[in-house]
């Protein structure tokens, strides 16, 4: 593994001739926007590039989906670099890494802490609020002119990962970069409409059900919500529809720790999302305790049990964690 | 009435000795933030100033409320300028204008179209996304240094009126100004937490109930939600908790007209909120048809009937309106 700075990452990209671009499973706006922006930048530089996504792109990011393609099997021999974006470990890649010829070096670019041993090259910057911000600066180094399409993709990346400039990770660079993206043609109102005004009825119905499950713990310092596989099916909602629901619990005044439990489609395991409002309430400590991990303010766990079985145990553990926090 | 540009507005303020600052009823973040920022700017300039708000400041803006005060009756004689912010006509002022001595000249600063005959001086700029942006530029002209408190108040103004940079009115200036406000000490994550992370459990429970009422009309071109007084009471929610719920219906992909019906506390009338996504779908036309009014994209009606009685009639009318729109 070789750890690169931005300058050397730029050199590595500049010397490639055919780049395969990959992202994580259930890709979000930072992942999709970054993939699209890098694809377009490389093409502008005269470098062949393929952005590969297996599942359909979610409706709200559909304005970018025409650029994704399933690779032509004949072309895989020409790949000389794979770039994994917003995906800090190989197991989170959406495309099975076994499908990539093992002699193609793999570069990971991420603002998450990267499992460095799993990649040949690593460009990590955990100070950045989005991979889109890292790419913007990389494109400046590469002197790639920003097209409107690139600016829109990067803007989608920035607003997704900063929660439209509301998350704790939102820094001045996110705004400074947005100014440049707007100059290059990104329109905040239009892109917000694509990304935020694209709910489905099923999604709002399942949100209604989830909100009915809301309960407070430890004198209102904790909030817990959950969704069974049966309820989700009854609402005809997809798992992706429930992304970010945990933020409703987090939004409650006085709540320090928010948790959302979603039973998986096989009803045999539960995905737990944990959120706090400030780094001093470190939910990744709690997640690790339960076998998961993440960041101080956003962490997760996968529990191998049906929801009904796991819920009482989790409620006890969460209450104990909150009660252990300084008041 | 005298219409002023920014330079002459700056001169008018610079020459004042005691300024009374007023805002509109049910003040939002642009109103409150602008009032606070102007108050602090004038004090920095050595000018006496009083920001007067009658009702308690809403919880989410409470970080700014210590600066408001009921004027000392003895001081009213010293007022030599009243500044009305974000309030384009006197009837919308929160403080009864009859309480202001009539010989004190009144300046209105607004990004809405101002009823100009009602004020002595008018500084209007409808191209700006927030009054906060107008004040930022005015403070630059006045060479008032931005304190952290002023920057926070102006940032609250900007994010409120741009819908955190998602509304159609969000322009590059809103971002450029935010960069300067952050440099002066405004922290986006902290301020978003104050303003957006202040939901109550009751509010989320009643949102859950409202979402369960969601229905689509006219092949998904319309979305309708409603809340009875009984359901609201059962959730222990206040009417103010349901503000903006109509935006959930508006957020649905393909929906052109969204409507939310809320039965009033006496269960004898219904407040209807109407929203569209673009000016070409003019919901104020429809509102006027039912005896209400508003803007092309946001309008309202009050119907004098219980919800159960009014709902079927309204559903028919709304369906007919949507079916009359060009596809």
């Amino acid at each position: 593994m070789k750890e690169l700075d931005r300058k050397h990452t730029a050199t590595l990209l500049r010397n490639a001739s055919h780049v395969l671009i990959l992202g994580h499973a259930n890709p979000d706006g930072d992942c999709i926007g970054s993939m699209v922006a890098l694809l377009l930048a490389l093409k502008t530089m005269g470098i062949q590039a393929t952005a590969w996504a297996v599942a359909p792109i979610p409706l709200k990011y559909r304005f970018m989906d025409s650029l994704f393609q399933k690779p032509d099997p004949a072309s895989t021999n020409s790949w000389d670099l794979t770039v994994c974006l917003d995906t800090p470990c190989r197991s989170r890649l959406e495309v099975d890494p076994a499908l990539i010829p093992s002699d193609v070096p793999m570069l990971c670019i991420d603002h998450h802490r990267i499992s460095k041993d799993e990649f040949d090259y690593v460009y990590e910057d955990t100070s950045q609020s989005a991979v889109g911000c890292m790419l913007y600066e990389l494109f400046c180094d590469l002197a790639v002119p920003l097209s409107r399409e690139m600016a829109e993709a990067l803007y989608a990346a920035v607003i997704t990962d900063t929660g439209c400039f509301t998350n704790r990770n939102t820094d001045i660079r996110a705004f400074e970069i947005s100014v440049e993206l707007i100059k290059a043609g990104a329109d905040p109102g239009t892109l917000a409409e694509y990304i935020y005004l694209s709910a489905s009825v099923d999604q709002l119905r399942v949100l209604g059900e989830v909100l009915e499950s809301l309960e407070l713990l430890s004198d209102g310092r904790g909030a817990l919500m959950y969704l069974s596989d049966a309820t989700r099916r009854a609402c005809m909602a997809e798992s992706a529809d429930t992304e970010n629901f945990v933020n409703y619990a987090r939004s409650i005044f006085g709540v320090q720790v928010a948790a959302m439990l979603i039973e998986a489609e096989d009803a045999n395991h539960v995905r737990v999302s944990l959120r706090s409002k400030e780094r001093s309430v470190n939910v990744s400590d709690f997640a690790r305790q339960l076998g998961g991990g993440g960041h101080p303010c956003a962490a997760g766990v996968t529990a191998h049990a049906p929801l009904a079985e796991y819920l009482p145990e989790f409620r006890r553990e969460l209450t104990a964690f909150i009660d252990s926090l300084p008041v």
Side-chain angles (χ1 to χ4, degrees), chain A:
Chain A
M1 186 278 303
K2 196 163 177 196
E3 197 150 2
L4 306 179
D5 59 11
R6 194 169 74 214
K7 191 167 145 269
H8 288 97
T9 306
T11 305
L12 187 67
L13 290 172
R14 206 184 274 118
N15 292 334
S17 63
H18 189 169
V19 176
L20 175 68
I21 302 167
L22 302 178
H24 59 74
N26 303 316
D28 60 9
D30 190 25
C31 180
I32 294 168
S34 295
M35 290 174 78
V36 165
L38 180 59
L39 178 86
L40 294 170
L42 292 170
K43 289 192 168 173
T44 306
M45 293 162 68
I47 295 168
Q48 275 194 74
T50 304
W52 189 3
V54 180
I57 300 298
L59 188 62
K60 57 185 169 183
Y61 305 122
R62 201 63 67 81
F63 67 99
M64 298 186 278
D65 84 342
S66 64
L67 295 158
F68 288 88
Q69 58 180 103
K70 202 174 146 57
D72 173 2
S75 75
T76 62
N77 283 332
S78 73
W79 294 337
D80 58 358
L81 182 66
T82 301
V83 181
C84 306
L85 295 172
D86 202 34
T87 312
C89 56
R90 292 167 65 107
S91 62
R92 291 217 57 221
L93 282 169
E94 193 207 19
V95 171
D96 181 352
L99 297 176
I100 320 297
S102 60
D103 59 344
V104 180
M106 213 174 240
L107 161 67
C108 178
I109 300 178
D110 206 348
H111 66 137
H112 299 100
R113 201 158 294 290
I114 299 173
S115 294
K116 293 183 182 163
D117 295 340
E118 302 182 15
F119 300 95
D120 302 292
Y121 300 99
V122 158
Y123 171 38
E124 174 189 282
D125 185 354
T126 57
S127 78
Q128 293 273 15
S129 47
V131 174
C133 293
M134 297 175 72
L135 290 187
Y136 171 82
E137 294 181 348
L138 196 57
F139 297 165
C140 291
D141 281 6
L142 288 165
V144 188
L146 276 188
S147 66
R148 187 176 55 81
E149 263 182 314
M150 285 166 69
E152 288 177 342
L154 290 178
Y155 188 80
V158 173
I159 64 174
T160 302
D161 263 30
T162 59
C164 222
F165 309 102
T166 64
N167 294 346
R168 285 279 170 184
N169 64 358
T170 309
D171 63 2
I172 194 164
R173 280 181 296 186
F175 285 88
E176 288 168 337
I177 290 171
S178 295
V179 167
E180 299 308 318
L181 299 178
I182 295 166
K183 283 183 190 161
D187 179 60
T190 305
L191 291 162
E193 178 165 332
Y194 288 148
I195 295 176
Y196 298 109
L197 298 186
S198 63
S200 70
V201 177
D202 303 335
Q203 190 173 20
L204 293 182
R205 290 228 174 89
V206 81
L207 173 60
E209 292 286 347
V210 167
L211 291 174
E212 307 242 327
S213 78
L214 178 65
E215 53 183 84
L216 292 185
L217 307 173
S218 303
D219 291 326
R221 297 171 69 201
L224 171 63
M225 306 194 304
Y226 47 87
L227 178 65
S228 71
D229 187 47
T231 303
R232 185 184 57 74
R233 280 172 201 271
C235 294
M236 293 181 295
E238 291 168 44
S239 298
D241 289 337
T242 60
E243 200 187 299
N244 294 325
F245 280 5
V246 66
N247 287 331
Y248 286 90
R250 180 173 173 270
S251 76
I252 298 168
F253 186 78
V255 164
Q256 294 176 285
V257 179
M260 167 90 197
L261 277 62
I262 300 179
E263 194 172 44
E265 310 211 353
D266 59 8
N268 264 331
H269 62 280
V270 176
R271 282 180 297 112
V272 181
S273 297
L274 294 161
R275 296 289 183 275
S276 75
K277 288 175 180 166
E278 44 193 335
R279 296 174 69 89
S280 61
V281 177
N282 190 331
V283 288
S284 74
D285 287 348
F286 176 57
R288 262 195 297 277
Q289 205 176 294
L290 303 179
H295 303 282
C297 294
V301 183
T302 300
H304 297 277
L307 177 65
E309 192 180 302
Y310 185 62
L311 182 60
E313 178 190 331
F314 177 81
R315 191 187 282 118
R316 263 196 317 276
E317 299 276 6
L318 180 59
T319 305
F321 172 70
I322 296 168
D323 291 344
S324 76
L325 296 170
V327 181

